[in-house]
Amino acid sequence: MPLLPKPKIAQLILAAGSSSRMGEPKQVLPWRNTTLIGHAIQRALLIKETSIYVVLGAHYDTVYKEICHFPVTILKNEEWQSGMGSTICSGIKAIQQDKLSYDGVLISLVDQPLLDIAHFNTLINQFSKKSSVIAATVLDSGIGVPAIIPSKFFDELLQLQADFGARYIIKKHIDHINTVDALDKGVDIDTIAEYHAMIKSDFSS
């Protein structure tokens, strides 16, 4: 049986938020040998044959200095204050302007550092089996990102309301998704207490 062609996937890392609950830019908090956003990019670079787009917004200059040396496309969402939907829109617009034609977009965040490359590769394997179907992550809070959204839904991503994220599209098409369980690694960081707890947990694991 011939091998299925590997789908062309663009990676979209969302990093435009102000980290209001954190009290300081979440993106540049130390994590292992880098920062949270540096870790997210290093992890993304391990996925072969994908293009990486990083959308910044709040604290743009501070975050940009941390990542400008990486081989990624850095975007600035001027309307980051209006919500995640606008950040996704700015990323999808840039992806559509690329000369490559993508089968899907892998959307991820910077505040889920425990998710490893194996999880992302499993998502890609699921998507490769059926690239017309969303491949999403099962989290404690429900089904969400990281997720690979097929290109046929790009127009819907472009039409997201400002305060709606990718989970809105996933929920809308819940009957047409494949899922990968994050187990206990899908925890995200929203407060400084959660950050310190995760640092302690990661150090002791």
Side-chain angles (χ1 to χ4, degrees):
M1 183 180 292
L3 290 174
L4 293 172
K6 186 177 180 180
K8 293 188 179 67
I9 297 172
Q11 294 193 65
L12 182 60
I13 300 174
L14 308 181
S18 64
S19 314
S20 57
R21 292 171 61 188
M22 187 69 70
E24 57 185 297
K26 179 191 306 186
Q27 299 93 324
V28 296
L29 286 173
W31 183 264
R32 297 180 183 172
N33 65 336
T34 178
T35 58
L36 282 175
I37 191 167
H39 175 72
I41 292 172
Q42 288 176 348
R43 184 178 56 192
L45 288 168
L46 293 174
I47 302 173
K48 305 300 182 184
E49 300 174 26
T50 61
S51 302
I52 303 169
Y53 300 79
V54 183
V55 189
L56 307 183
H59 316 294
Y60 177 84
D61 291 337
T62 299
V63 182
Y64 179 85
K65 281 187 279 188
E66 289 290 328
I67 66 170
C68 59
H69 61 287
F70 286 112
V72 301
T73 300
I74 301 172
L75 309 170
K76 184 177 183 180
N77 176 23
E78 300 284 1
E79 300 178 2
W80 63 267
Q81 289 175 299
S82 63
M84 190 175 288
S86 69
T87 298
I88 292 173
C89 285
S90 63
I92 295 298
K93 286 178 182 176
I95 287 169
Q96 288 186 324
Q97 289 170 2
D98 197 322
K99 292 179 181 179
L100 296 174
S101 179
Y102 294 104
D103 298 303
V105 58
L106 169 53
I107 298 176
S108 62
L109 308 174
V110 300
D111 61 0
Q112 297 172 316
L114 297 182
L115 287 173
D116 53 24
I117 188 65
H119 180 84
F120 286 83
N121 282 333
T122 304
L123 280 172
I124 291 170
N125 288 338
Q126 287 281 19
F127 187 71
S128 297
K129 293 174 185 175
K130 195 168 185 181
S131 60
S132 62
V133 172
I134 296 170
T137 299
V138 179
L139 306 159
D140 288 344
S141 57
I143 301 174
V145 298
I148 305 176
I149 312 291
S151 57
K152 68 179 183 180
F153 297 129
F154 281 6
D155 286 344
E156 291 186 40
L157 290 171
L158 288 170
Q159 293 168 20
L160 282 173
Q161 298 299 312
D163 55 349
F164 285 87
R167 188 170 287 199
Y168 174 81
I169 302 297
I170 293 168
K171 186 176 181 180
K172 181 179 177 182
H173 300 286
I174 198 68
D175 293 331
H176 298 89
I177 65 170
N178 288 319
T179 59
V180 178
D181 199 322
L183 302 174
D184 57 349
K185 295 182 178 181
V187 185
D188 59 348
I189 302 171
D190 288 319
T191 67
I192 200 70
E194 290 171 348
Y195 167 69
H196 287 303
M198 196 173 289
I199 285 282
K200 184 177 180 181
S201 172
D202 184 65
F203 182 77
S204 61
S205 62

